[in-house]
Amino acid sequence: MAEATPAPDGALPKTYDPASTEARWQAAWEAAGAFHPDPEAPGEPFSVVIPPPNVTGSLHMGHGFETALIDTIVRFQRLQGRNVLCLPGTDHASIAVQSILEKQIKAEGGSKDDLGRDAFLERAWAWKAESGGTIVGQLRRLGYSVDWRRERFTLDPGLNKAVVEAFVRLHEQGLIYRGEYLVNWCPASGSAVSDLEVEMKELDGHLWHFRYPLSDGAADDGTDHLVVATTRPETLLGDTGVAVHPDDPRYAALVGRTLTLPLVGREIPIVADEHVDPAFGTGCVKVTPAHDPNDFAIGARHGLPLITVMAKDGSMNAAAGRFAGLDRFEARQAVVAAMEAEGFLVKVEPHRHSVPFSDRGKVPVEPLLSTQWFARAEPLAARCREALDGGAPRFVPQRWEKVYRDWLTDIRDWCISRQLWWGHRIPAWFVVSETGGVITEATPYVVARDAAEAQAKAEAQFGAASAAAGRQLQLEQDPDVLDTWFSSGLWPFSTLGWPDESAADLATWYPTSVLVTGFDIIFFWVARMTMLAGAFTGRMPFADVMIHGLVRDENNRKMSKSAGNGIDPLPLIERYGADALRFALVREVAGAGQDIRLDYDRASGSSATVEAARNFANKLWNATRFALLNLGGETPASLGEPDPAALTLADRWILSRLARVNRETAERYGSYGLGEAAKGLYEFAWNEVCDWTIELLKRRLNPRPAVEGEPLSAEALADQRVARQVLAKVLAELLVLLHPLMPHLSEELWHGLSGEAEDSFLALQSWPAVNEAALDDALEAQFAELIEAIRVVRNLRAVAGLKPSQSAPVVFLTGRPELAAVLRQATGDITALTRAASVEVRDPGAAAGDAAEAQAAGPQRCLAAVSGELQVLLPIEGLVDLAALRGRLEKDIAKAEKEIKGLAGRLANPNFAGKAPPEVVAECRANLAEAEAQAALARGRLEGLG
């Protein structure tokens, strides 16, 4: 689009500066409380609580993608007139924060135990105040339209009150208990960790095969031992059985007999269990119930004892006998060496397998028996399954519902305690006066909301007995904290004021409207929220769950820290702007739940995809700047709506397209088709508004008087005003439609166009009503043909080598009266856009007679092309050097024929056609078809020159 004259005072600057624009509007929105809703305000409530990032985190591309999706949704709903709350916050990230602080303290030569719990927590809160807001500031850079005044932190007093209340109520209902169970244990952090905090890594290891002898001699068939295989030889010291499949004929006669455990001498039974895969290995599985979850289940079914041979620091304990005190990996080597020395090692095989690592401790986790607090998951999950049968929540895409249901159907009790100091301390007090002043497995406890309530409960239960025994009642709060997923599981309602049922925010915005999250935490967070919401509110916490995919790197690989292939969004924001990054990410979405790929040049730090979005922003900037220079100082409001009777064909076309795009975009935003909305708006804005409408309006916006020096006629002035009205309406409405995707740019351009005061925001305007009367399917189809006809003429001019200033006649041949009528109505537009000396529209039958008459008078040299049912002729006699044009066309034909010969030869070669990848062969065929079409086109044009 051509630049207009320099901008007058008050118009937009010549170039778009995203950095200053975005910073200014972010500050203005926040200062004005633009996104701080009142629960009493009118409008249907719509709410989102954002997935709280870890307070330790910094912005990564996944955050950028998720933010863009959520903000697009909530900004659209706000424009729809709904009373929107988008609530932000962060998670306290127990293990991550504690790990950071312990490393700091260790570097200073101390330990957390030297500091003590109170001093350590003071330091943790100081760290949070100083460094914990990094990601919040980075999220602000993206233009998140959240209510920062309602920002929450999972350790806030209000949220801590909710956590304590939830724990107490679940315990009172018998849904929380304390017991010994197998948990994922991280020796590095000294805590149980959740499944989500475990990362599976593929490692090259070994499979050791060991001989276990029968205790009472050989069987009737001569069998005197069984062979078992393991990847963890150190755990055999805790074996309490060997399992075989009940239908395996090889071992049927041995079930019930015993084996003597090598190195230990313990007799262990052979049991039959359907968990065993008879086709894997020897079909014999060593059972170590205290060190493997599957073995734990087998042991429970067969009453096998649980023997723990490892301490919580990863070393072998006293039960490991002569290997006690060794690190687990040292013990592995020592056990293998001992088994080999005593003749029990059969063979060693290389074996690649998945090893669970602690995401925080960066070491392999150990399944260990530990006394922990557990939540009974099945009763909580049952409520969720019942709600899902009734359609709540609704998953988008729907296929993720099965993943959610399957997990709720096959669920184990949830270990909710962690051996840390930073976090929600478990509201349980042990009556240590009953067990010598220390906490033991037998120490009784009370669960209470605070110390005073705990004291009262303990007095009621144990006071009399203690007094009779001459003991003073002594309580000590459980030193452990709760799993962070427990507090984040309450997030949708604890952030709104629960357990205060009268809280205005809770009454207005709960249940929330939609949860936007990744598929990877359906199990760990989505299900936690639905289970706890069902228990405490009786309703699912959100109506919809929109599942998004991953952002993959330029090679279509999943981004990860270990792979080192992450793309930092902040440099891209600095380079191109937050709006460009947001738009680029959303536009890449091909469908809800699909992964997207972001191209990125690591050497230059550039991204063609984000740069294209920045170019789009520049295009919109220039279009609006052009409008400001050509609206005569008026605004869309002062110009008003155009008179339908005064509209030209082009006006009616773009207003029909505007109405249709308005309707389509609202439907797409509302149904989470955000990628489709972005693509549709891009095509409409760039092609139909900037490339066609503005070009078509230019001559009407700046009309020339019939006589140089004379004033414009009343008719010309009236048409100029209609052109201004159409341009202003289209751009003003387009900016509203684009606002959810590009909020800063659209806010800036809307203010420039509307002249509204700084404290009046586009973000708070109303979505424009669809002008149903403007919709015209037939006109849109006909105008699309007109646009294509103009493209064909421009292409023929380029083939002919005409200079931009040269005029040439244009002839259209069509037998369709309605198309001919459109072409005749648009003669002025065609003339302006193609530099036509004249425009003729003829019927092919009449044209044939005219051609015969012209042929008798002498041949007319012209270039021709066909578009659908329209033939386009460009007479060039006397306008170009025909000999030179023939030469160019002959070169084009020769080039195409050479390409055809090469491609046809490749396809005729059996080695290529039969062995090359199918996509390569398909591409070759497509290129051949294109080359043949180009050759035929050039031959036809050469023939037309005579």
Side-chain angles (χ1 to χ4, degrees):
M1 187 167 49
E3 282 291 340
T5 54
D9 291 343
L12 292 170
K14 186 173 182 179
T15 57
Y16 170 46
D17 176 16
S20 62
T21 300
E22 290 170 359
R24 184 169 67 257
W25 288 114
Q26 287 162 14
W29 290 328
E30 193 164 342
F35 310 126
H36 178 65
D38 180 351
E40 301 299 323
E44 179 186 348
F46 187 94
S47 60
V48 174
V49 291
I50 77 166
N54 285 349
V55 72
T56 58
S58 60
L59 191 69
H60 59 64
M61 198 57 76
H63 291 129
F65 182 43
E66 190 168 81
T67 296
L69 296 174
I70 294 173
D71 201 49
T72 298
I73 291 168
V74 298
R75 284 183 182 271
F76 168 70
Q77 294 295 338
R78 207 175 277 117
L79 292 168
Q80 289 284 303
R82 294 186 172 87
N83 187 11
V84 174
L85 170 64
C86 188
L87 193 146
T90 50
D91 188 274
H92 60 279
S94 289
I95 293 178
V97 172
Q98 184 139 339
S99 176
I100 289 170
L101 295 176
E102 287 191 27
K103 286 177 182 176
Q104 291 178 357
I105 296 167
K106 184 177 180 181
E108 297 164 5
S111 71
K112 71 177 179 65
D113 295 315
D114 294 335
L115 275 180
R117 188 177 194 125
D118 291 343
F120 178 85
L121 291 177
E122 283 182 18
R123 181 162 180 158
W125 280 105
W127 176 89
K128 192 266 179 186
E130 181 180 346
S131 306
T134 298
I135 195 167
V136 169
Q138 292 169 339
L139 288 174
R140 277 181 158 95
R141 290 285 305 278
L142 288 164
Y144 224 161
S145 64
V146 300
D147 183 4
W148 291 112
R149 299 183 191 181
R150 282 184 170 89
E151 182 184 352
R152 299 287 187 264
F153 176 53
T154 47
L155 281 182
D156 282 345
L159 271 65
N160 185 67
K161 178 183 177 182
V163 168
V164 169
E165 184 65 26
F167 187 98
V168 172
R169 290 191 191 182
L170 289 176
H171 186 266
E172 289 173 348
Q173 296 170 28
L175 295 177
I176 282 181
Y177 64 93
R178 189 167 183 263
E180 189 178 52
Y181 204 78
L182 209 63
V183 297
N184 295 315
W185 187 266
C186 172
S189 61
S191 175
V193 295
S194 73
D195 291 340
L196 185 61
E197 293 155 342
V198 172
E199 179 184 3
M200 302 305 294
K201 293 185 179 181
E202 287 287 324
L203 298 181
D204 289 320
H206 295 90
L207 193 61
W208 286 274
H209 295 253
F210 296 127
R211 181 183 294 109
Y212 283 23
L214 284 164
S215 302
D216 54 357
D220 293 341
D221 63 358
T223 302
D224 63 355
H225 68 273
L226 293 181
V227 175
V228 299
T230 181
T231 59
R232 300 162 67 212
E234 67 279 10
T235 64
L236 71 80
L237 303 170
D239 284 1
T240 58
V242 168
V244 297
H245 194 277
D247 298 331
D248 192 333
R250 293 172 295 177
Y251 309 114
L254 298 179
V255 173
R257 296 184 65 173
T258 62
L259 301 163
T260 300
L261 183 62
L263 308 184
V264 178
R266 182 168 59 245
E267 288 194 14
I268 58 177
I270 301 171
V271 300
D273 195 280
E274 291 188 351
H275 171 76
V276 178
D277 179 1
F280 180 77
T282 63
C284 302
V285 175
K286 59 186 285 301
V287 183
T288 318
H291 289 276
D292 181 275
N294 292 322
D295 292 5
F296 182 86
I298 293 173
R301 286 193 288 271
H302 299 280
L304 301 179
L306 290 82
I307 300 176
T308 300
V309 295
M310 196 178 297
K312 291 182 177 178
D313 63 357
S315 66
M316 307 307 288
N317 64 16
R322 61 177 130 158
F323 304 99
L326 292 179
D327 172 79
R328 54 182 168 158
F329 300 115
E330 294 173 340
R332 177 173 298 175
Q333 296 176 355
V335 166
V336 171
M339 291 291 278
E340 183 175 21
E342 297 187 25
F344 296 114
L345 178 62
V346 177
K347 63 178 178 177
V348 183
E349 294 177 326
H351 183 64
R352 187 167 180 81
H353 61 134
S354 294
V355 178
F357 273 68
S358 168
D359 187 49
R360 299 301 180 185
K362 307 303 180 187
V363 298
V365 298
E366 286 292 340
L368 283 182
L369 280 173
S370 179
T371 299
Q372 302 284 347
W373 292 92
F374 294 88
R376 299 189 192 279
E378 172 51 32
L380 298 172
R383 293 190 184 100
C384 298
R385 295 195 299 268
E386 183 179 349
L388 191 59
D389 290 339
R394 180 175 71 104
F395 278 80
V396 180
Q398 194 269 339
R399 68 177 182 273
W400 291 107
E401 178 187 306
K402 183 179 186 303
V403 175
Y404 170 73
R405 183 187 293 276
D406 287 349
W407 191 78
L408 291 171
T409 302
D410 183 16
I411 194 166
R412 294 188 300 178
D413 284 358
W414 170 19
C415 176
I416 59 175
S417 49
R418 299 289 181 267
Q419 287 63 56
L420 302 166
W421 285 353
W422 174 248
H424 295 278
R425 195 164 180 182
I426 291 175
W429 280 260
F430 289 96
V431 188
V432 294
S433 51
E434 298 294 305
T435 51
V438 295
I439 299 174
T440 71
E441 300 294 324
T443 306
Y445 61 85
V446 293
V447 170
R449 292 170 178 82
D450 52 39
E453 183 180 323
Q455 186 69 34
K457 284 187 173 182
E459 289 283 357
Q461 292 182 46
F462 307 102
S466 294
R471 294 190 300 269
Q472 183 178 356
L473 207 62
Q474 181 185 354
L475 303 184
E476 184 176 330
Q477 188 173 359
D478 193 318
D480 291 350
V481 300
L482 284 162
D483 174 18
T484 52
W485 294 106
F486 190 89
S487 54
S488 61
L490 305 172
W491 188 249
F493 48 97
S494 64
T495 53
L496 298 176
W498 187 90
D500 179 4
E501 300 289 350
S502 64
D505 285 3
L506 189 69
T508 301
W509 286 298
Y510 184 82
T512 62
S513 304
V514 61
L515 171 72
V516 179
T517 191
F519 62 83
D520 50 340
I521 54 174
I522 290 175
F523 313 133
F524 311 108
W525 188 45
V526 178
R528 300 281 191 250
M529 288 188 285
T530 57
M531 288 194 298
L532 293 175
F536 298 121
T537 73
R539 294 178 287 179
M540 290 297 97
F542 20 73
D544 294 338
V545 180
M546 177 188 166
I547 299 295
H548 62 73
L550 302 173
V551 183
R552 294 185 175 271
D553 72 3
E554 65 277 17
N555 298 310
N556 206 35
R557 296 178 303 166
K558 179 181 177 181
M559 293 186 202
S560 70
K561 291 179 182 178
S562 58
N565 65 333
I567 301 173
D568 187 347
L570 292 172
L572 291 174
I573 292 173
E574 295 286 349
R575 184 167 188 157
Y576 302 113
D579 278 4
L581 178 64
R582 288 170 54 133
F583 188 83
L585 291 171
V586 177
R587 186 172 173 236
E588 286 296 302
V589 178
Q594 298 300 308
D595 291 351
I596 67 170
R597 186 181 74 86
L598 184 64
D599 72 279
Y600 184 64
D601 186 326
R602 293 180 186 273
S604 64
S606 62
S607 168
T609 303
V610 186
E611 185 172 357
R614 167 63 191 271
N615 293 341
F616 180 52
N618 288 339
K619 188 86 168 177
L620 295 166
W621 183 272
N622 290 335
T624 308
R625 187 167 177 271
F626 170 84
L628 291 176
L629 296 170
N630 288 277
L631 293 182
E634 293 202 69
T635 67
S638 67
L639 283 165
E641 292 283 333
D643 178 0
L647 296 173
T648 66
L649 181 76
D651 296 338
R652 290 191 291 111
W653 166 73
I654 192 59
L655 292 178
S656 178
R657 291 294 303 133
L658 178 66
R660 192 173 307 283
V661 169
N662 180 328
R663 187 168 67 186
E664 289 173 350
T665 303
E667 289 172 352
R668 287 165 176 167
Y669 281 150
S671 61
Y672 310 117
L674 308 185
E676 291 79 3
K679 293 180 185 73
L681 286 172
Y682 179 91
E683 294 298 325
F684 175 69
W686 190 294
N687 297 326
E688 298 180 57
V689 176
C690 295
D691 284 357
W692 287 103
T693 298
I694 289 179
E695 293 302 318
L696 288 165
L697 288 172
K698 278 182 177 178
R699 63 190 176 87
R700 296 167 59 204
L701 291 167
N702 295 284
R704 295 179 179 178
V707 179
E708 192 68 33
E710 293 291 322
L712 290 172
S713 66
E715 182 181 9
L717 287 170
D719 185 56
Q720 181 188 52
R721 185 167 185 82
V722 171
R724 288 173 172 174
Q725 289 172 321
V726 170
L727 178 59
K729 177 180 177 61
V730 169
L731 279 179
E733 193 163 319
L734 174 60
L735 292 175
V736 182
L737 271 55
L738 277 166
H739 177 76
L741 294 160
M742 308 183 88
H744 310 91
L745 173 71
S746 56
E747 189 78 72
E748 178 81 357
L749 297 181
W750 181 79
H751 275 82
L753 194 64
S754 68
E756 291 284 347
E758 287 281 305
D759 59 355
S760 177
F761 300 115
L762 167 59
L764 302 180
Q765 300 306 304
S766 296
W767 187 268
V770 176
N771 182 3
E772 299 287 347
L775 289 167
D776 190 329
D777 294 353
L779 173 62
E780 289 183 36
Q782 291 162 7
F783 208 87
E785 292 182 292
L786 169 62
I787 288 174
E788 187 56 34
I790 293 171
R791 286 197 182 104
V792 170
V793 174
R794 287 174 165 177
N795 185 45
L796 290 177
R797 286 178 58 89
V799 171
L802 291 172
K803 296 176 182 178
S805 59
Q806 279 184 283
S807 296
V810 176
V811 179
F812 295 113
L813 305 177
T814 179
R816 286 173 50 208
E818 67 275 12
L819 177 56
V822 168
L823 292 169
R824 291 189 180 100
Q825 285 184 64
T827 296
D829 292 329
I830 296 169
T831 300
L833 296 181
T834 65
R835 301 288 296 179
S838 61
V839 177
E840 290 185 71
V841 183
R842 305 178 187 170
D843 181 271
D850 294 343
E853 186 178 331
Q855 186 70 25
Q860 170 66 14
R861 304 292 192 272
C862 65
L863 290 176
V866 175
S867 174
E869 298 179 58
L870 178 69
Q871 185 177 9
V872 183
L873 303 178
L874 184 72
I876 53 174
E877 188 80 48
L879 296 176
V880 300
D881 183 337
L882 294 177
L885 178 55
R886 285 192 189 95
R888 290 203 306 274
L889 290 171
E890 286 167 351
K891 284 182 180 179
D892 289 344
I893 293 168
K895 181 181 177 182
E897 287 177 341
K898 182 179 179 181
E899 186 175 0
I900 291 166
K901 183 177 179 181
L903 292 169
R906 290 184 74 190
L907 289 168
N909 184 343
N911 289 328
F912 173 76
K915 296 180 180 179
E919 61 271 18
V920 174
V921 176
E923 182 181 7
C924 187
R925 288 198 178 102
N927 290 339
L928 176 60
E930 175 65 20
E932 289 171 339
Q934 291 299 322
L937 185 62
R939 289 191 196 97
R941 286 170 176 167
L942 186 62
E943 186 178 328
L945 296 179

